[in-house]
Amino acid sequence: MTDLFAARAQMALSLAFHIIFAIVGVAMPLLMVVAERLHQKSGEPEYLELARRWSKGTAIMFAVGAVSGTVLSFELGLLWPTFMAYAGPIIGMPFSLEGFAFFLEAIFLGIYLYGWRRVSPRAHFAAGVMVLLSGTLSALFVVCANGWMNTPAGFEFVDGELRVDAWAAMWNPAALVEALHMIAAAFAAVGFAVAGIHAAMLLRGARRGFHRRALGIALAVGGLSSFLTPFTGHLAAERVAELQPVKLAAMEALWEDEAAAPLLIGGIPDEEAEVTRWAIKIPGGLAFLAHGDFGATVEGLKDVPRADRPPVTVTHFAFQIMVGCGVVMMGLGAFAGLSVLRRRPIADQPALLRALVLASPLGVVAIEAGWTVTEVGRQPWVIQGIMRTADAVTPMPHLAVPFVTFTGLYVVLGVAVVVLLRRQVFAAEVPTLAGEEEVDHGA
Amino acid sequence: MAPELIITGVIGAALILYTLTAGADFGGGVWDLLARGPRAADQRRVIAEAIAPIWEANHVWLILVVVLLFVCFPAAFAAISTALHIPLTLMLVGVVLRGSAFTFRAYDPKPGAGARRWSQVFAVASLITPITLGVTLGAVSGGFERDPVSGLVQTDFISSWLAPYPLAVGLFTLVLFAFLAAVYLVEETDDEALRAIFRRRGLASGIAVGVAALIAFIAAEGAPEIREGLAEAPWAPLLHGLTGVAAVTALVAIWRRRDRLARLAAMAQATLIVAGWGLAQYPYLAVPGYRIDEVAAPEGVLWPVIGALAAGAVLLVPTLWYLFAVFKRSRAGRVSQPH
């Protein structure tokens, strides 16, 4: 294992691990405040219990997200010091703002999780709304920083001296579209994941009223958000087409410059022979999606020197997986929505419940695949067109050691989280009288 | 005022606040590890309840330090994270295990062997992070030569931190954090027997802080710039005098059960220690190749960051005050905590 490969593997692992917990911190507050608000409106104690149960699972996930996020902020320097020495000052604004947003999120989450009996119901609900806002802003800012790596802007060197327009760097062309897509995906993924858990409990014949309410909220959030992802994704893809044409060609595994370029569904790219076999082609589809014109020409990979191409197979497969998961989620969301309109309770449809259980990891899979497209598709660059990943890596030798260390650590933590969440879910089978719950989980 | 000095001041302030808040959270882990006797479980419960609502927010001060370093002093950040890769990685392992284990223990609805194991992980991880943080702070006081051609730090990845002075600072940091935690914990319970236990721990660790400081000062032989700053700078006698007064006040106040005074004096002592370290380090971020004015990002970067810090502070100060008001309002005045 080369040191560069180990560094990339450790970074990929750390991001892939962190994102699962980060999206929970973004999206669960919405589910919790909806449940809490429904309780305040209706007086129904099960909604309050639901908010409390969810807040426990969120507390576990948020803690792991906070510490794994800390690891990432250090790893930027531990693994990529040359990149950070160059980019740090330019993307300082979104990182500084993200720091504050995360600070507010941690503060209000502390009040939300431990303040059930210490602050008024109104202040408690307001704390939940603040967690939701600061968590979403936190995601926006950190994705702005990633956007700059894809579409660097807002800086120039005048006689060797760096001039930075911090605002222009933060709102680089990719920033907003990437962030919108990520935030929509976070709500969709978490909504479906939670819906799947409660669907499974309904299939087991568990407390029906409780899980039916939970499923309703989670599926409403997940289903509606899943319909936002193709629109935000389309906006993001237009920017890729415009500013990262090589990444777009890799996503589509398109080799030749083609007028009326087809959209490829499936297919296996052969990077040696420079062809993609067995794909379903929709004529003009890619041309329309990328440039809004069925006749437009899309650049293929053949004209790009091999050293400047991203790994095509990985990028193409990841893109297909992301889109595929999104389509299934939308289909399920639409079906569930129609059921509700036809007044057929979802909880009475075992087939739909089983489908929801099967679909519960799809949102997370889609997010992991989507980040693979973003990051692998940008290779060999760490800053598109400016700095190569190979030039950014630390001179530190034996990087396989920290990679193996963090892999082991994250495997253990992952297993522990799954075990604990299972226990929390099954603990919910013993109803507690809302408002009379045990002391706020001190020890 | 030069913008890089304002930022350096903010970094120093964030380090002090990290010490006073998150430092004590790690110190709580030390006392969890050392809890003995028939009241051990009660001690652990008080520690856990004191930490639970605030540790994640307290932890963010460290992230602020990292972000300000890489935004405003990118070359120094790159140098420090290259040369100190090993202690920083160990620190991260400690951060991850401490936070996760603490949460896993608190949220396990089936307390048993699993929770006990996480309890041990929490306590041991609470030792790793203060020590490696101290080692890092000790290590930047010397040996950071800059390659004149590449601009990168010249390092063998080991010798700058595996040396007596950084290790002594690591030990000192651990003891200081434990001392702060013990003094704070007295006011976290109304149980007089527990308060007496934490007072004893405060006294013992307060004396240990003095001993560890002496060891670090002797070990500073290997870090002449720091030693010179600490011993000979014009401000040194005043600072040492004030630190000494705070330290003695804290110990006497613990002894005489003036718990609120003890807490304030201990906080003053820790503040003066970190501030003194920062002043001795001035004008370097990492000695001798990384001077504050030489490695700062251009002013066009620094002023917008200062603006963002000011705007952020407007939001942050009242919300932090609210957090501590909700969970840390003086317990001394209350007869009992309704559970």
Side-chain angles (χ1 to χ4, degrees):
Chain A
M1 189 186 286
T2 66
D3 282 322
L4 175 62
F5 183 81
R8 289 183 61 192
Q10 185 179 334
M11 200 68 196
L13 167 86
S14 304
L15 284 163
F17 185 77
H18 174 69
I19 192 71
I20 298 171
F21 300 91
I23 58 172
V24 171
V26 170
M28 275 313 288
L30 178 60
L31 274 67
M32 297 189 297
V33 297
V34 167
E36 193 171 353
R37 188 82 194 120
L38 287 172
H39 165 71
Q40 288 174 352
K41 286 249 182 199
S42 69
E44 174 58 61
E46 277 188 321
Y47 279 124
L48 180 60
E49 192 194 340
L50 189 53
R52 288 186 161 214
R53 291 288 177 202
W54 275 343
S55 80
K56 291 187 174 184
T58 304
I60 297 168
M61 299 292 279
F62 187 82
V64 180
V67 294
S68 60
T70 308
V71 171
L72 277 171
S73 65
F74 276 88
E75 276 177 345
L76 289 172
L78 291 174
L79 299 174
W80 316 105
T82 312
F83 162 64
M84 288 310 286
Y86 187 97
I90 306 170
I91 49 176
M93 186 53 75
F95 271 119
S96 305
L97 294 177
E98 199 267 342
F100 279 108
F102 178 62
F103 222 139
L104 292 179
E105 190 182 3
I107 291 169
F108 283 109
L109 194 78
I111 292 167
Y112 193 86
L113 296 178
Y114 295 91
W116 287 101
R117 304 195 315 166
R118 288 182 182 249
V119 298
S120 69
R122 180 177 283 195
H124 190 267
F125 177 75
V129 172
M130 287 304 295
V131 178
L132 175 63
L133 287 178
S134 46
T136 304
L137 281 177
S138 189
L140 167 68
F141 294 142
V142 85
V143 178
C144 282
N146 178 266
W148 184 86
M149 296 162 71
N150 286 313
T151 57
F155 71 106
E156 56 179 346
F157 286 90
V158 182
D159 303 327
E161 193 190 322
L162 174 67
R163 302 259 176 90
V164 176
D165 180 343
W167 208 242
M170 176 162 157
W171 298 113
N172 60 78
L176 192 60
V177 288
E178 238 194 274
L180 286 176
H181 192 44
M182 177 67 233
I183 291 167
F187 284 105
V190 172
F192 269 91
V194 174
I197 292 171
H198 293 286
M201 295 307 286
L202 283 167
L203 284 169
R204 295 169 70 107
R207 293 169 58 202
R208 192 181 141 83
F210 180 79
H211 292 292
R212 195 176 55 81
R213 291 186 166 91
L215 181 66
I217 296 172
L219 202 52
V221 169
L224 291 174
S225 306
S226 72
F227 276 88
L228 293 177
T229 54
F231 296 104
T232 56
H234 178 61
L235 293 175
E238 280 182 332
R239 288 299 155 91
V240 173
E242 187 188 339
L243 296 165
Q244 296 181 289
V246 180
K247 183 191 274 186
L248 183 80
M251 284 158 67
E252 282 294 324
L254 186 75
W255 297 95
E256 312 281 346
D257 288 359
E258 274 190 64
L263 187 70
L264 268 59
I265 295 175
I268 297 174
D270 182 335
E271 298 191 36
E272 280 308 307
E274 302 187 318
V275 289
T276 300
R277 299 192 181 92
W278 303 304
I280 302 166
K281 292 187 179 178
I282 301 176
L286 178 61
F288 178 73
L289 285 176
H291 299 292
D293 170 7
F294 285 104
T297 301
V298 177
E299 297 161 40
L301 287 159
K302 271 192 176 170
D303 294 341
V304 181
R306 278 179 187 259
D308 292 350
R309 291 180 197 166
V312 178
T313 310
V314 173
T315 312
H316 179 64
F317 280 164
F319 182 62
Q320 305 283 317
I321 289 168
M322 177 187 78
V323 174
C325 291
V327 168
V328 173
M329 287 159 71
M330 284 201 310
L332 270 174
F335 193 85
L338 285 176
S339 294
V340 174
L341 286 180
R342 288 197 198 137
R343 304 193 178 285
R344 288 193 54 202
I346 297 167
D348 293 339
Q349 301 178 58
L352 179 54
L353 290 177
R354 269 193 285 278
L356 286 171
V357 174
L358 289 175
S360 71
L362 290 186
V364 177
V365 172
I367 285 175
E368 300 285 7
W371 277 110
T372 306
V373 172
T374 313
E375 295 301 293
V376 176
R378 195 188 55 241
Q379 302 304 322
W381 306 98
V382 62
I383 309 170
Q384 179 74 49
I386 292 177
M387 184 184 285
R388 283 171 193 273
T389 311
D391 297 331
V393 73
T394 179
M396 173 85 194
H398 309 301
L399 287 178
V401 176
F403 168 57
V404 171
T405 305
F406 278 101
T407 306
L409 190 57
Y410 284 168
V411 167
V412 171
L413 292 188
V415 171
V417 166
V418 171
V419 169
L420 267 186
L421 288 179
R422 277 182 64 94
R423 285 188 187 166
Q424 285 290 351
V425 169
F426 287 110
E429 289 323 291
V430 187
T432 50
L433 286 175
E436 221 188 322
E437 203 172 344
E438 70 273 33
V439 175
D440 290 345
H441 29 259
Chain B
M1 195 174 183
E4 66 269 19
L5 288 185
I6 299 176
I7 304 267
T8 311
V10 174
I11 291 176
L15 266 181
I16 288 172
L17 288 164
Y18 183 76
T19 302
L20 294 180
T21 56
D25 296 338
F26 281 104
V30 175
W31 298 122
D32 183 296
L33 185 70
L34 296 180
R36 290 283 180 281
R39 305 296 308 272
D42 290 330
Q43 293 172 42
R44 293 202 172 100
R45 184 182 45 77
V46 171
I47 293 164
E49 284 177 2
I51 297 175
I54 52 169
W55 72 267
E56 280 161 312
N58 294 344
H59 176 71
V60 186
W61 292 113
L62 184 65
I63 298 181
L64 190 64
V65 170
V66 171
V67 169
L68 287 178
L69 263 184
F70 74 59
V71 174
C72 302
F73 304 102
F77 174 74
I80 291 168
S81 46
T82 302
L84 303 180
H85 188 111
I86 296 168
L88 286 171
T89 298
L90 289 173
M91 184 176 96
L92 290 177
V93 172
V95 164
V96 168
L97 283 177
R98 194 281 302 238
S100 314
F102 180 75
T103 309
F104 293 169
R105 180 181 71 171
Y107 283 91
D108 195 337
K110 281 204 300 194
R116 272 199 300 281
R117 204 168 309 130
W118 287 122
S119 192
Q120 287 160 357
V121 174
F122 160 69
V124 172
S126 295
L127 304 182
I128 299 174
T129 303
I131 292 173
T132 46
L133 176 69
V135 166
T136 302
L137 294 181
V140 294
S141 62
F144 276 74
E145 299 285 353
R146 214 170 166 181
D147 187 306
V149 181
S150 69
L152 300 175
V153 66
Q154 293 177 319
T155 179
D156 60 6
F157 308 102
I158 303 277
S159 58
S160 53
W161 59 273
L162 197 62
Y165 178 66
L167 295 176
V169 177
L171 175 73
F172 176 77
T173 308
L174 179 68
V175 178
L176 181 68
F177 286 4
F179 169 61
L180 282 173
V183 176
Y184 293 179
L185 282 167
V186 176
E187 289 199 275
E188 292 288 343
T189 174
D190 303 308
D191 183 327
E192 196 43 52
L194 286 178
R195 289 169 77 104
I197 291 174
F198 288 129
R199 279 195 204 101
R200 280 202 298 279
R201 312 228 134 145
L203 275 179
S205 54
I207 293 164
V209 168
V211 176
L214 194 64
I215 295 173
F217 188 75
I218 295 167
E221 201 84 53
E225 283 85 356
I226 282 283
R227 179 130 188 200
E228 199 181 320
L230 285 174
E232 289 161 29
W235 45 265
L238 178 67
L239 192 95
H240 293 319
L242 287 174
T243 312
V245 169
V248 171
T249 308
L251 289 177
V252 172
I254 298 170
W255 181 253
R256 305 191 59 175
R257 301 186 192 178
R258 300 277 302 276
D259 300 319
R260 176 45 51 98
L261 178 64
R263 177 185 278 221
L264 289 175
M267 290 171 79
Q269 182 188 351
T271 303
L272 288 164
I273 287 168
V274 181
W277 167 83
L279 283 172
Q281 186 80 13
Y282 184 83
Y284 298 101
L285 287 166
V287 185
Y290 297 85
R291 272 176 64 123
I292 291 168
D293 51 349
E294 287 172 1
V295 295
E299 291 206 357
V301 171
L302 301 182
W303 284 116
V305 170
I306 292 171
L309 286 173
V314 170
L315 285 173
L316 190 61
V317 171
T319 43
L320 262 180
W321 180 84
Y322 181 59
L323 177 75
F324 280 84
V326 167
F327 294 107
K328 300 286 161 192
R329 198 165 275 150
S330 171
R331 206 174 268 259
R334 273 179 291 162
V335 179
S336 70
Q337 163 73 3
H339 275 302

